[in-house]
């Protein structure tokens, strides 16, 4: 990893990346795509060492409280967070200023910050988003090799439920001929129902591939699924959208299960939920002025 002093931390939509790059090694990682303009190897994580200070400056000057998002691009709980605790320090700032947080990860390291997540949720709102792609533990170790597996992530969801912290699951990507089976989708959906998730994000049963991401993915296919690269190239060429041949059937199962269990399943509704700041909370700070 290497350190940098960032000039800014919050995007126009109040999202932030504390780190750039990731060590979790997911074989399908879109963040590797060339369009993001990484100038360093993806695993040589860039640490925005002044992230918490920049965030504090921003939150202090905001006139209206809102949800702060993190984890959309790079996981905030990858390995280096263990020593650096930078995500934890940013959560402390969010807690102190009584903003909300919508945080996305695959790692159980998030449990280390449980007290902060609970405190933010009491004062404003916390939403924890966990990605689940496969119900098969062995497959999970192959496609997401350097982070805890699905069973442990489900335990995280369960602990959030016990703490009264709402959760959203990202059921994506669904890789053709790898995890696009009915058993797999039903298995993940059962975990979501059992842990009482608020919403499930899915943009179609497939994956997106583009320059940078595609090459890395194909190398992983050659290593773990010999012959599958040729099938992908034959069926999809250089398409950005790579949809499962089982898309229709799997998507119906997904929609039906969500509807039956009162789970948000339209991406717009889940995104609206993540952005929505509870208006009846979080005004103690502003009322001082
Ligand atoms: S956790 Fe996210 S950012 Fe990290 S390698 Fe996996 S997909 Fe990429």
């Amino acid at each position: 990893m290497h350190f940098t002093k960032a000039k800014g931390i919050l995007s126009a939509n109040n999202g932030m990346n504390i780190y750039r790059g990731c060590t979790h090694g997911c074989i399908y990682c879109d963040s590797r795509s060339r369009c993001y303009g990484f100038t360093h190897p993806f695993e040589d994580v860039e640490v925005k060492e002044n992230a918490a200070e920049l965030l504090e400056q921003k939150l202090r000057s905001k006139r209206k409280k809102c949800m702060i998002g993190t984890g959309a691009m790079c996981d905030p709980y990858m390995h280096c967070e263990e020593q650096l605790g930078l995500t934890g320090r940013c959560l402390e700032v969010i807690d102190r200023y009584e903003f909300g947080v919508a945080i996305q990860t695959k790692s159980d390291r998030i449990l280390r910050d449980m007290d902060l997540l609970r405190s933010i949720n009491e004062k404003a709102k916390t939403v924890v988003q966990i990605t689940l792609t496969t119900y098969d533990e062995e497959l999970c170790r192959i496609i997401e090799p350097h982070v805890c597996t699905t069973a442990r992530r489900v335990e995280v969801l369960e602990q959030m439920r016990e703490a009264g912290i709402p959760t959203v699951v990202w059921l994506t990507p669904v890789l053709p001929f790898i995890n696009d089976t009915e058993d797999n989708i039903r298995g993940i959906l059962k975990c979501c129902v059992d842990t009482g998730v608020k919403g499930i994000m899915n943009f179609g049963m497939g994956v997106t591939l583009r320059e940078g991401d595609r090459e890395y993915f194909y190398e992983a296919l050659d290593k773990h699924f010999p012959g599958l690269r040729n099938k992908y190239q034959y069926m999809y060429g250089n398409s950005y959208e790579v949809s499962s041949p089982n898309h229709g059937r799997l998507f119906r199962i997904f929609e039906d299960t969500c509807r039956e269990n009162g789970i948000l399943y339209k991406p717009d509704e889940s995104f609206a939920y993540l952005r929505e700041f509870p208006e009846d909370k979080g005004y103690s700070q502003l009322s001082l002025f």
Side-chain angles (χ1 to χ4, degrees), residues 125-268:
K125 176 176 163 187
T126 299
V127 186
V128 169
Q129 303 161 79
I130 300 278
T131 304
L132 302 180
T133 59
T134 174
Y135 189 60
D136 176 334
E137 291 287 281
E138 281 312 306
L139 182 60
C140 193
R141 285 186 192 98
I142 293 171
I143 66 177
E144 294 153 356
H146 307 310
V147 64
C148 67
T149 56
T150 299
R152 179 65 176 147
R153 290 179 226 166
V154 173
E155 287 175 12
V156 172
L157 288 169
E158 182 56 31
Q159 292 199 33
M160 295 300 160
R161 191 184 66 78
E162 284 167 12
I165 294 171
T167 51
V168 167
V169 160
W170 287 66
L171 198 179
T172 180
V174 177
L175 308 168
F177 317 110
I178 296 178
N179 63 339
D180 61 339
T181 64
E182 189 171 326
D183 275 0
N184 186 48
I185 299 301
R186 285 197 189 280
I188 294 172
L189 291 171
K190 182 173 183 322
C191 294
C192 294
V193 171
D194 290 349
T195 54
V197 305
K198 177 81 185 168
I200 305 177
M201 290 283 194
N202 180 272
F203 309 96
M205 298 291 164
V207 60
T208 57
L209 292 177
R210 48 189 165 182
E211 211 187 335
D213 164 22
R214 184 184 289 109
E215 291 78 356
Y216 189 81
F217 180 63
Y218 280 175
E219 277 174 31
L221 292 190
D222 289 344
K223 189 166 167 204
H224 301 289
F225 308 93
L228 202 47
R229 173 207 282 253
N230 289 346
K231 199 164 173 178
Y232 267 70
Q233 284 175 328
Y234 176 74
M235 285 186 67
Y236 304 109
N238 279 339
S239 300
Y240 173 56
E241 288 181 7
V242 172
S243 184
S244 164
N246 304 327
H247 166 80
R249 184 163 50 91
L250 298 180
F251 202 74
R252 267 192 304 282
I253 293 169
F254 163 65
E255 281 185 324
D256 289 349
T257 309
C258 289
R259 262 196 230 108
E260 283 160 18
N261 292 281
I263 296 172
L264 300 176
Y265 64 95
K266 294 179 181 161
D268 285 357

Side-chain angles (χ1 to χ4, degrees), residues 102-132:
I103 188 163
Q104 184 178 353
T105 186
K106 287 187 175 100
S107 173
D108 58 351
R109 292 187 190 94
I110 192 171
L111 293 173
R112 195 194 56 175
D113 289 331
M114 199 66 189
D115 289 347
L116 279 167
L117 297 169
R118 202 185 275 118
S119 175
I120 295 169
N121 197 42
E122 277 162 15
K123 294 176 191 164
K125 176 176 163 187
T126 299
V127 186
V128 169
Q129 303 161 79
I130 300 278
T131 304
L132 302 180

